[in-house]
Every structure is written in structure tokens, then in C-alpha cells.
Amino acid sequence: MGTLELDRLTKVFQDGEEGEIVAVDNVDIQMDDGEFIVVVGPSGCGKSTTLRMVAGLETVTSGNIRLDGRVVNDEKPQNRDIAMVFQSYALYPHMTVAENMAFGLEESTTLPDDEIEERVHDAAETMGIAELLDRKPSELSGGQQQRVALGRAIVRDPEVFLMDEPLSNLDAKLRSQMRTELQRLQAELDVTTMYVTHDQTEAMTMGDRIAILNDGKLQQVATPLECYHEPANQFVAGFIGDPSMNFFDMERDGDTLVGSRFEYPLSQSTLDDVGETRNVTLGVRPEDVEVGTDESGSHTYSAVVEVVEPMGDENTVYLRFESAPEGETFIATIDGLQQAAVGDRVTVSIPEETIHLFDGRSGEAVHNRRLDMNDEISSPPT
Amino acid sequence: MSDETRTDGGAVSAAGSDQPAGLLAEIDAYRVALYLGLLAILAFFLIPIESGLVTSFKTSTGVSGTLPFAPPTPEVFTLAKWQTAFDALARGLVNSALYAVPATVISALLGSFAAYGITQSNWKPKYKAPILALFVAGIFIPYQAVLVPLSQFWSMVPLQEALGFVWALGISSDYTGVVELIVTHVAYGLPICTVLFRSYYKNMSEEMIEAARLDGASIRRVYRRIVLPLSGPMFAVVLIYQFTQIWNDLLFTLVLVQTESSTAAPIVLILAGLGQSLEGQDFALRMAGAFIAALPTLAVYIMFGEEFAEGVAT
Amino acid sequence: MASHNDDTEESGDAVTDGGVVEEQQQTGFGPITKLNERFGSDFVESSQFWLPPFLLVGLFVYGAIIWNVMISLTDFQGFGTPDYSDLDLEMYARALSDSGFVDAAVNTFVLLIGFTLVTLAIGLGLAILIDRNIRFENTFRTIYLLPMSLSFVVTAQFWAWMYNFNNGVINIVLTSVGLDRVDWIGSPNIVLWAVVFALMWQFAGYAMVVYLAGLRAIPDEHYEAAKVDGASTLRMYWRVIIPQLKGSTISASVVLMVFALKAFDFLYSLVGGYRPPNGADILATKMVREAYANLNWAYSSAIAIMLFLMALSIVGPYLYYQYKEGHL
């Protein structure tokens, strides 16, 4: 129970007279029972539309939505056994917290009043809002309203939770706190959850798996670490990770990649991955760019420090190849205690085992970094 | 309402002044002129009403013999005109209330229904647009354009016969006109009510309505449990505005009830002919009558001025 | 080339168009499902709310107008029912050759334009004064708007007295400053402007409320920027503020013109009968008089249609403008 399957799900909006906008394009996602999937992507990528189709708030143009194997495309929202948490919380302002939470049970079930009351009370206990039950939403803080919105969803004990950027109205501190709490809650309730956000930090930290959408198309569905270390394409590589991956457009010349600022020789095993592709985009994560003064090795270049952003634990350094004009920078993150000053001439090296290579035309990954440092990844990347 | 100093023109007009003392004096002169102007305008708006009020307490000799805006002196003071006016208009007060109150309530309720059905439910905007356009355009139709068919329509509908059981209770069959007025005012008041409610519902959170639908409430239940309880402020605006409009309207009463001698004659109809006779015009009586007729809407306005302003400004 | 993605911080990417939902109802049978497919998922279920009011308005407003057009094409005189078998434009031809109609049309036009312009100008002036951060703002505003709450019938009583030849306030004031009395109501050349003035008294407050809302919507920075630029108060309003009140002006003038078209109540009550003072007959009064005093039903219907077209020529462009601006 509680499996949710999106099968070639497509949504086309009519735009004006003749125009059509494909908001969601053939999206396939299979969610196991109890799984927490975060759907992430930039604004306008179709993630909210996908969620709203699952909720029944938008119709499906083609494809299927299956809940426990049953196609629910034409089912009314209230018959889908789902509960949704909205970005604005969408609490009913004229009802108390208890009434807000009871509303769904009153409207969709025939439970007797005392049982509704009991379930509301239990859900309120779970959310830690039992003492707020008699208040109106306007008397609550943003964080409390957020809890009520979640409580309203869990009280219905649905097969699937749908969450549409539920944390985006909270301030930064409360957001990270709620992030943890939401994860704990989801694990505890073990309810299949589809969570939409544009915030890749939420995606990385919360989801069992991440589904990345761009322009209505599904880019990759995988665990957060897979998305981070083995992105399926250049979009995913650039979207996941902050600061994001550096990309360099290169052309292959024999066993060397030639860019406008530097050349990068490749080993045979990497060359095998590249195959016949001529135009290649080289990607490297800022934390894999090594900055030092030691000039040795074949992947070492000299660069100038343009901007340093100290973050405390680490420094984000904007570097420029010597031959590049000002402003054309790439990023390296270095240890917070390592000194770097604007204008310094430094040596950077880009180790071959850390690079990603993408087909210059399609953006598909042809080679991802090697993960042979540990057999098994058990800790998040630094 | 606005405590900000943004339009404190004093600073602007004093911009050229160098001496602080001169600046102060100029600000003061400016403020004084501003308030004098405002008071003069106040007088302009109040003079017709004031003159009417003092005149209504004067005897006929007082009306012609004293200044029109001077309070009545003891020699010419009388309450007789008010008494006469009240005797003439009392029946009209009741009759007007008989249709104005139900028509106001019904048109507000139906307007709320219509606005909800068009605004907060899922159907294609391109089909909603023409329906909405017809409602909006309905606000601006001059009533003259429908008068003849309206008279024809009500002369064809056997309302008087259908209501025979009511007349059997001893109520004058003139009151058919009151029933006609209710239906007519509801029909022609609906467009403005709908548009007022629509502007309100458009600003209601869409996510909240969606949440309620997901919670399993039908369209009817969403209205009953979410939209209606939240419509209170707009109902205040619409009820006040509609009541004023219906109470004040003369044209439909003239067409549907026709004569001021009718048992069911509304107050505006009686007032329009009050104090006018072949011998001349009794202005004191007309003024007293005007105040009695204006009393209900004035009372509403004084109590709910804010809502009234919101109603007219939308 | 070095490049890195910008983190997208803005939220909410929903390309939502609830309206295009074409969800089928499980319970729906053939026709209902079809209707919903065509018009949107809630079409049938929501019709219980909007359809009855819509039918009422459709019948009484639009049905009546169509019926009116039909009657205007007959030569119905008020006995029995109109004869719809013989339709022609005779009544419209009659109107054009009727000097009374032409006069009324001209008067309607003058009233419409004169009243609207005067009221807008006064209303704007009031709004600017009220907006100057004054004390007792609410009191002033309430009293300026007060006449709007009165019935046309009531204001007609007040102004009949104000304009009274012997004892009216206006003539008393005129004589006290050494001027001659004016027969405001009795002079055909003056009476229309007297009516315009009285109506202005009643509706200037309305224009003020609309303009005030417009003024309040202008950000403070615009006033401050103009001040910093060294503009005088007058120039600030003329160059910076008033141009931004276009929307308020348009909506206020449309509503005022419609009020002017309805000035029938005022003119009727001024004299207590269908025949307004000489020089003040407008289409609205002429139409009612032809129908209910002279029983020229078909003729009055034709006048009504022309009045309606006049209103349409004002309101049509306005509604189109509103639609284009997305206010509908």
C-alpha cells in the first residue's frame, strides 16, 4: 500500500489562441511505500504542476497516475486518499486549530465526533501543538501555522503526503529545524511523501531519493549522493551542489581536451568513456579543485585569485586562468584556515579522478568521477 | 488613516524660505488656508441640508419671511409640517421597507452565490469571461432600456391572481406591486452585488479553497463552511450599498406601483409629489418629507460610512 | 569557459491554470461528463451557484432589452399587446424628425459631459485636499460623501428650495452681494446648468473617494522624488501625480455618466411630474413621459434603445479597457 507511480505523465497547457505549453513532459517516477521523494528543479520546471496532478487539482493530459496500482487520473481529489500541505499553509482563518484539523475528517469520513476529536488530539500531540488547539491561525507564529498545516495533513492518515514548498515561508533558522523534524515525522509515520521544492539543500538533506525536473522533463531520479557524484547530465551536475560545479567547454584533440584557457590530457580509461565524442564539457566541483603553490603534475595550472568569500569553515575562492579576462572565473573551495588574498598568483590542480565529462551537445554525462576512496559512501560529501 | 508626513505641503511651499521663523509662519499660513478651504467646502455640502432642516420647522410665513438658512425664531417655529409629512409618508416608510429589505438581502445572497460560482470554481476562464462580462455590463444599463418590456412582463404575469390567498387575508391587492418591486430590484441589483463579491473572492486564497476541496468538501460545502463565514465584511458593504440604492430608487416604483395614492406606495413616490399643489409649493412640508425619507439611508450612512465608501469606490 | 549555475531562489513555479482541468466526475453520467469535459471540471457542480442568478439577470436585463428592440419596431400604443407582425424603423425615423427628441438628446449630451467634467474636477480637488495629511480627515470625507447616500428624490427637494426664486439660499446670497435674482429653474438657458450643479453637489464626494483611492495607491517615493527634484506643489501634482490617476479618472467618469443617464429621478422630483422644466428635458425623462404619460409605447421604446446605445458607447470601450487590463 502507498505506492505511487507516475507513468509517462504529461501536462499541456493551452496558451492563448493556438499556443501550447508542455509543462510536464513524459515524467516517470516510481515511489515505494513509505518513501520520501523530493521533486526539485528551478522555477517553472513543472514540479508544482506534477504535484498538483497527483493531488487532482490539475487534469492529466496523458499518461497515468497510479496509487497502489490503481489509476486515479479521473478520481476527484477527495477520493485519492492523499493529503497536501500548501506553501501558504492554506489554513481556514475563521476556524480554530482543532476545527482546521477536524475539517477534512468531517467532510470526507463518517467518523463519529468523539473519534474525530481523538484523532485530532493525537495528531496535535505528534506535532506538539496540543496547547494551541483553541487558537485561531492569526494568533499563531509562522512556525506554529506550519505545524498546524502538517497536523491537518497527518490527521487524515492518508496513503500519500503531498507537500508544495512547505518550508519556503519560514525564516532560515526555523526552516532547518523544521527540515529535521519533517524527516523524523515522515520516518515515524512511514507515509509515502512527495515533496516539491526549489531548494537543493532541502532536496539533498531530506529525500530518500531526488527527482530533478527541468523544462518539464525528468532529468534524474536517484539518491542524493548519486545525484551529487554521478549526475546523469550537465543540468543535474550544475543544479545539485552549492557552489555549483565548474564547467569548461573543451574540444577533444587526440588524448587531450583543448579549451580556450587550458589543455587537459586524459588517461586511457577516461578516453574509453568519452568514445567518439568531440565536443566535451569538463565539470569539476569546487571542493575538488586543489589550490596550492606546488607546480607538478599534468593537471596543474596557474591562476589568479579574483574574489575570496570567507565562510568560516571554508573559503570560496573565485579564480581566473592567467590568460582569461577579468570576470571569467571558476570556483574553488578551500579550507577556512588556508590563506588566499585577492591578486595572489596560485597553482590549481584538477585531479583526473574528480572530473565529470559531459557530451557538449546533449549534456549527457559520459564520464563521472571515480568513487574509489571508500567502498561505500556513508557520509555526506564535504 | 494616514499619519505619514509625505504630503506635508508646508515643507514644499516653504522650500524657498531661509529663515526658520518665516518658515514657521508660512507653514501656519498654509495650514490655516487649507483648513479654511476645507471648512468652506464643508459649508457648501451642508448648506442645502441645513437650509432644508431649518425650513422644515418654519410656518409658511416663516418660510417666506425669514432667511432660508436662519434657524426658526420662536414666532415661526412649528412641528406641524413634520407632523403632516409624517402622516403622509408613514405608510410609505413601511411599504418601502417591505420591498427594500427583502430585495437587499436576496440580491446580496444571490450575488454572493454567483460570484462564488464564477470565481472560486474550476472551469475554463474563456467560458467564464462572457458570463462575467454580462454581469458587469448589467451594472451600467440605463433602466429606461427595459421599462416598457418590464411593464409588459408584469402585466402578463398573473401575479395578482396567484397571490389571491394573500388578499383574502385582508391585505390590499395593491401590494402586488411590492412583490414585483422585490423581484425587479433583485434582478437589476444582482450585477453590482456579483461584481462586488467577485472582487472580494478573487483575493481569497486559492490554496485555501483547494485545501478544502482536498479535505473532501464539495463545492456547496466549501461555500457553506469556508466562503460564506469569511464573507462577512463584504456582506456588510453590499447590504448597505444595495439598501441605499433600492430605498432611493424612484423609477421602478413609478412604473410598477404608479400612483402615490396606492396603498402600497413607497416613500419616494409619495415624497416626489409631496407639497406640490396648484396653489403653490409648501417648501417646509417638502423639506420635512425629504428628511423623513432620507432618515433610514442617513442612519445607515452615519453608522456604516466606511462600508458605504468602499461600496461606491469599487 | 567557466560557468556555474545560479541558484534559483525565487519560489513557486506553478504554471497553474485551474480552469483547464477537465476532470471527469465519477458519478457523472454521459451529458454531465461531456459538459464538464468541455467547460471544466466544476462546471456542472458550480452551476447551482451561478446559473440561477445568471438566468435572472439574463432574462430581466438582456431578455428585456431584446424585447424592447422588438417593441420599438412596432407601432404599439398601449392597448392590448404589441403587433409583432409588422416591424419597421418608423419610430426611429419619427424620433429624428421630432424636435423634442433632438433637444432632449442634445441636453442629455450636455448634461453627460458637463456634469462629468465638473464633478471630476471638483472631486479631484477634494481628494487632493483630503490627502494633504489633515486632521479630522474622516469627518471631512464623511460629510463630503454624505449627499451620495441621499435619494435623487430627496436632493431634488433640497435643490428646489435652494434655487427658489424668492427665498432660496442662492438668490438670497446673490442679492446680499448686490446681484440680481436669477430664475434658476424657470429659465430654459440656465436650468440645465442648475441641474448639473445640483448633481455635482450630490456626486462630487463619489469622485473624491475614487480619486482618493488612486492617490493612496501612489507610492510616497513619487512625492518625495518630485520634492527632491525641486518641483513646486502645483507642478508636482500636475506632472507627477495626476498622470497616474488615469485609471481612477476612467472608472469614475464611466460611473458618473451612467448616473447622469439616470438623472430621471431628480428631474421628475424637481417638478413632481413627468414634464421637466423647459430646457431640462433629457432622453431619460422623455422616454418615460412618452410611455407612461402619452402611452406612445413603441416610440418610447425606440428612445430607450437609443439611450441604451448611448450608454453602450460609453460602457463598451470601458469594459474592453478593463478586460485588456485584466481587471475583469
Side-chain angles (χ1 to χ4, degrees):
Chain A
M1 44 173 284
T3 66
L4 176 64
E5 196 181 335
L6 311 186
D7 179 10
R8 285 179 299 145
L9 193 62
T10 301
K11 175 70 189 183
V12 180
F13 287 108
Q14 303 296 325
D15 180 37
E17 301 297 305
E18 297 298 319
E20 287 189 343
I21 297 171
V22 182
V24 178
D25 193 357
N26 270 304
V27 167
D28 284 298
I29 303 176
Q30 271 87 38
M31 297 174 61
D32 295 334
D33 184 29
E35 194 176 19
F36 194 137
I37 282 219
V38 177
V39 180
V40 68
S43 289
C45 70
K47 55 191 192 294
S48 280
T49 308
T50 306
L51 190 77
R52 290 169 60 84
M53 280 195 281
V54 176
L57 296 170
E58 301 282 353
T59 49
V60 174
T61 306
S62 69
N64 284 320
I65 299 166
R66 285 192 206 93
L67 197 57
D68 284 333
R70 177 173 64 105
V71 175
V72 294
N73 289 16
D74 298 334
E75 199 87 68
K76 289 220 141 199
Q78 56 265 39
N79 300 330
R80 293 190 182 195
D81 208 5
I82 46 147
M84 183 155 167
V85 179
F86 290 87
Q87 184 176 359
S88 68
Y89 316 140
L91 300 177
Y92 313 126
H94 58 299
M95 297 183 186
T96 63
V97 169
E99 286 165 345
N100 262 285
M101 291 172 70
F103 185 84
L105 292 176
E106 288 166 7
E107 293 296 330
S108 61
T109 66
T110 53
L111 293 177
D113 285 356
D114 52 340
E115 191 169 343
I116 289 179
E117 199 180 325
E118 198 187 311
R119 283 175 66 168
V120 166
H121 201 79
D122 290 350
E125 289 283 327
T126 311
M127 289 312 302
I129 48 171
E131 73 283 7
L132 303 176
L133 281 174
D134 293 327
R135 303 251 194 103
K136 292 268 178 71
S138 58
E139 301 166 273
L140 303 179
S141 69
Q144 289 171 327
Q145 291 185 24
Q146 168 67 62
R147 282 166 192 276
V148 175
L150 286 169
R152 192 171 68 177
I154 62 174
V155 76
R156 295 188 51 199
D157 191 19
E159 295 272 351
V160 176
F161 281 143
L162 304 176
M163 304 197 183
D164 189 4
E165 311 229 11
L167 305 184
S168 62
N169 284 1
L170 299 177
D171 63 57
K173 199 159 181 201
L174 203 52
R175 195 183 312 168
S176 67
Q177 197 182 320
M178 281 307 290
R179 216 156 55 200
T180 323
E181 178 151 346
L182 208 58
Q183 269 173 288
R184 177 190 62 76
L185 189 73
Q186 199 271 341
E188 198 177 295
L189 297 169
D190 200 27
V191 174
T192 316
T193 302
M194 188 169 170
Y195 183 106
V196 160
T197 181
H198 67 274
D199 178 354
Q200 52 112 359
T201 318
E202 282 176 26
M204 289 297 288
T205 53
M206 297 176 80
D208 293 330
R209 285 191 296 156
I210 309 180
I212 298 153
L213 279 178
N214 186 37
D215 277 345
K217 293 190 184 68
L218 190 62
Q219 306 293 317
Q220 187 166 15
V221 189
T223 64
L225 291 185
E226 275 168 356
C227 290
Y228 191 82
H229 292 299
E230 295 169 18
N233 55 39
Q234 194 182 337
F235 176 81
V236 174
F239 188 78
I240 300 291
D242 182 30
S244 49
M245 189 183 276
N246 298 299
F247 294 114
F248 306 96
D249 292 332
M250 313 290 273
E251 200 165 316
R252 186 180 162 192
D253 182 11
D255 58 0
T256 304
L257 298 177
V258 180
S260 53
R261 306 295 170 216
F262 69 105
E263 292 185 1
Y264 197 93
L266 296 177
S267 67
Q268 191 52 48
S269 69
T270 314
L271 280 171
D272 290 345
D273 286 345
V274 176
E276 292 307 303
T277 318
R278 269 192 66 79
N279 291 308
V280 173
T281 300
L282 185 151
V284 61
R285 294 217 174 264
E287 68 268 23
D288 292 329
V289 177
E290 293 169 6
V291 179
T293 42
D294 169 33
E295 277 193 51
S296 61
S298 54
H299 299 133
T300 308
Y301 311 93
S302 59
V304 180
V305 176
E306 210 164 74
V307 178
V308 180
E309 290 175 353
M311 312 292 277
D313 57 338
E314 58 181 31
N315 291 323
T316 305
V317 185
Y318 291 74
L319 298 158
R320 165 168 68 84
F321 285 114
E322 276 186 325
S323 61
E326 259 179 63
E328 189 187 307
T329 56
F330 61 100
I331 300 175
T333 49
I334 59 172
D335 190 273
L337 297 174
Q338 199 177 342
Q339 294 297 316
V342 172
D344 279 1
R345 218 165 275 277
V346 293
T347 302
V348 296
S349 86
I350 302 172
E352 191 177 347
E353 66 270 17
T354 66
I355 63 164
H356 300 258
L357 295 175
F358 305 95
D359 186 314
R361 289 210 180 78
S362 67
E364 292 300 312
V366 291
H367 167 85
N368 278 323
R369 70 164 299 157
R370 242 175 296 147
L371 290 173
D372 50 6
M373 312 92 97
N374 300 311
D375 285 340
E376 176 180 304
I377 303 163
S378 53
S379 57
T382 48
Chain B
M1 261 187 91
S2 72
D3 292 327
E4 69 266 66
T5 52
R6 67 167 192 217
T7 57
D8 180 9
V12 174
S13 62
S17 176
D18 292 321
Q19 291 173 318
L23 190 136
L24 212 72
E26 235 180 288
I27 290 176
D28 278 350
Y30 165 80
R31 295 308 275 183
V32 167
L34 178 64
Y35 283 105
L36 282 179
L38 286 165
L39 285 172
I41 298 166
L42 204 70
F44 166 69
F45 280 106
L46 286 178
I47 273 279
I49 299 171
E50 190 269 349
S51 170
L53 190 64
V54 292
T55 303
S56 70
F57 289 109
K58 291 176 185 173
T59 60
S60 294
T61 37
V63 168
S64 54
T66 59
L67 287 177
F69 43 79
T73 52
E75 304 91 74
V76 298
F77 179 85
T78 176
L79 287 175
K81 304 295 180 182
W82 278 80
Q83 186 61 51
T84 316
F86 187 78
D87 289 343
L89 294 171
R91 143 181 80 98
L93 271 175
V94 176
N95 292 337
S96 282
L98 272 180
Y99 67 85
V101 172
T104 301
V105 172
I106 296 171
S107 57
L109 211 57
L110 286 179
S112 163
F113 285 176
Y116 169 69
I118 298 175
T119 309
Q120 289 287 9
S121 65
N122 258 334
W123 45 292
K124 296 184 184 176
K126 69 172 171 179
Y127 295 112
K128 284 177 178 177
I131 292 185
L132 191 65
L134 289 178
F135 272 115
V136 177
I139 298 172
F140 300 105
I141 305 284
Y143 291 159
Q144 272 78 7
V146 296
L147 278 189
V148 173
L150 196 66
S151 317
Q152 282 284 301
F153 174 78
W154 286 119
S155 69
M156 282 160 59
V157 176
L159 190 62
Q160 192 160 341
E161 292 77 34
L163 293 173
F165 65 96
V166 181
W167 319 140
L169 298 174
I171 295 168
S172 162
S173 63
D174 284 356
Y175 281 95
T176 317
V178 165
V179 179
E180 291 172 0
L181 277 173
I182 293 175
V183 178
T184 308
H185 274 300
V186 167
Y188 293 101
L190 254 175
I192 182 70
C193 294
T194 305
V195 168
L196 285 171
F197 274 112
R198 176 176 157 77
S199 70
Y200 188 69
Y201 291 158
K202 234 173 34 176
N203 294 328
M204 222 177 231
S205 155
E206 218 173 293
E207 287 196 340
M208 182 183 66
I209 305 290
E210 283 175 353
R213 298 297 295 277
L214 285 177
D215 271 345
S218 64
I219 286 184
R220 193 192 289 245
R221 296 286 294 170
V222 172
Y223 180 77
R224 175 70 198 79
R225 295 203 56 189
I226 309 285
V227 175
L228 187 61
L230 291 174
S231 299
M234 202 63 215
F235 264 103
V237 170
V238 172
L239 287 174
I240 286 156
Y241 182 78
Q242 262 305 89
F243 178 78
T244 313
Q245 292 299 305
I246 295 175
W247 182 275
N248 287 344
D249 177 74
L250 172 71
L251 188 55
F252 283 145
T253 65
L254 197 61
V255 169
L256 296 178
V257 181
Q258 292 181 351
T259 64
E260 60 208 61
S261 56
S262 161
T263 322
I267 190 158
V268 282
L269 193 55
I270 306 175
L271 177 64
L274 191 71
Q276 316 216 31
S277 62
L278 292 176
E279 302 92 69
Q281 307 199 15
D282 184 344
F283 276 107
L285 181 60
R286 283 177 76 174
M287 295 304 117
F291 276 101
I292 292 172
L295 231 42
T297 51
L298 272 180
V300 164
Y301 180 74
I302 288 163
M303 282 187 289
F304 307 103
E306 283 296 312
E307 282 84 358
F308 183 83
E310 197 179 323
V312 297
T314 308
Chain C
M1 298 293 109
S3 67
H4 33 84
N5 272 55
D6 290 329
D7 199 9
T8 46
E9 270 304 321
E10 71 270 44
S11 62
D13 63 330
V15 190
T16 54
D17 71 333
V20 186
V21 173
E22 290 176 55
E23 171 200 355
Q24 284 123 25
Q25 282 171 309
Q26 288 302 93
T27 51
F29 294 105
I32 290 178
T33 315
K34 276 218 181 92
L35 275 175
N36 278 343
E37 259 174 44
R38 182 161 168 73
F39 294 101
S41 61
D42 289 343
F43 181 74
V44 173
E45 201 187 341
S46 69
S47 63
Q48 59 182 327
F49 280 96
W50 58 264
L51 193 59
F54 181 65
L55 288 180
L56 199 60
V57 171
L59 284 176
F60 271 85
V61 178
Y62 298 100
I65 289 171
I66 292 166
W67 192 356
N68 200 337
V69 172
M70 299 295 292
I71 295 174
S72 75
L73 298 176
T74 67
D75 37 18
F76 183 43
Q77 289 282 344
F79 298 107
T81 52
D83 171 18
Y84 296 110
S85 62
D86 180 24
L87 301 181
D88 54 41
L89 291 170
E90 191 197 326
M91 291 303 156
Y92 292 90
R94 175 173 163 189
L96 295 178
S97 61
D98 175 357
S99 69
F101 172 81
V102 177
D103 287 348
V106 170
N107 285 343
T108 305
F109 198 71
V110 171
L111 180 71
L112 219 58
I113 303 296
F115 162 70
T116 307
L117 290 181
V118 170
T119 309
L120 284 179
I122 303 284
L124 177 62
L126 293 179
I128 289 175
L129 287 181
I130 291 276
D131 197 38
R132 306 238 56 175
N133 191 31
I134 55 166
R135 302 183 84 184
F136 311 114
E137 181 197 316
N138 272 338
T139 313
F140 283 115
R141 206 185 42 187
T142 306
I143 292 177
Y144 294 172
L145 187 60
L146 177 86
M148 170 95 182
S149 74
L150 300 174
S151 167
F152 270 129
V153 184
V154 171
T155 48
Q157 310 304 320
F158 290 151
W159 282 93
W161 177 230
M162 289 289 285
Y163 285 137
N164 184 265
F165 186 76
N166 290 318
N167 297 304
V169 171
I170 294 183
N171 278 346
I172 296 285
V173 171
L174 284 184
T175 51
S176 75
V177 296
L179 294 171
D180 285 337
R181 290 171 195 273
V182 176
D183 190 356
W184 299 101
I185 307 289
S187 320
N189 296 326
I190 298 176
V191 61
L192 198 60
W193 295 102
V195 170
V196 165
F197 190 76
L199 292 181
M200 182 278 286
W201 175 81
Q202 190 168 5
F203 292 109
Y206 166 76
M208 173 196 72
V209 167
V210 174
Y211 274 128
L212 208 49
L215 283 173
R216 297 273 150 91
I218 297 173
D220 291 359
E221 288 77 19
H222 291 207
Y223 293 85
E224 283 155 8
K227 260 188 224 174
V228 171
D229 287 346
S232 70
T233 310
L234 213 62
R235 287 186 67 78
M236 171 183 78
Y237 274 105
W238 185 249
R239 299 273 309 273
V240 181
I241 305 304
I242 292 177
Q244 297 189 54
L245 296 173
K246 188 178 150 214
S248 307
T249 305
I250 291 176
S251 57
S253 28
V254 167
V255 173
L256 287 174
M257 287 190 193
V258 172
F259 278 134
L261 288 173
K262 291 181 178 175
F264 168 86
D265 287 10
F266 184 86
L267 288 167
Y268 181 94
S269 315
L270 202 58
V271 292
Y274 288 116
R275 175 81 229 176
N278 275 335
D281 197 17
I282 58 172
L283 288 180
T285 48
K286 182 165 174 66
M287 181 270 151
V288 178
R289 187 168 69 249
E290 291 295 347
Y292 296 91
N294 304 342
L295 302 185
N296 292 324
W297 295 93
Y299 185 40
S300 76
S301 295
I303 296 172
I305 290 303
M306 286 185 272
L307 187 63
F308 168 70
L309 291 178
M310 209 163 174
L312 200 65
S313 67
I314 297 166
V315 171
Y318 168 71
L319 288 182
Y320 186 73
Y321 167 81
Q322 292 280 308
Y323 176 75
K324 279 281 158 200
E325 301 274 299
H327 294 319
L328 278 190

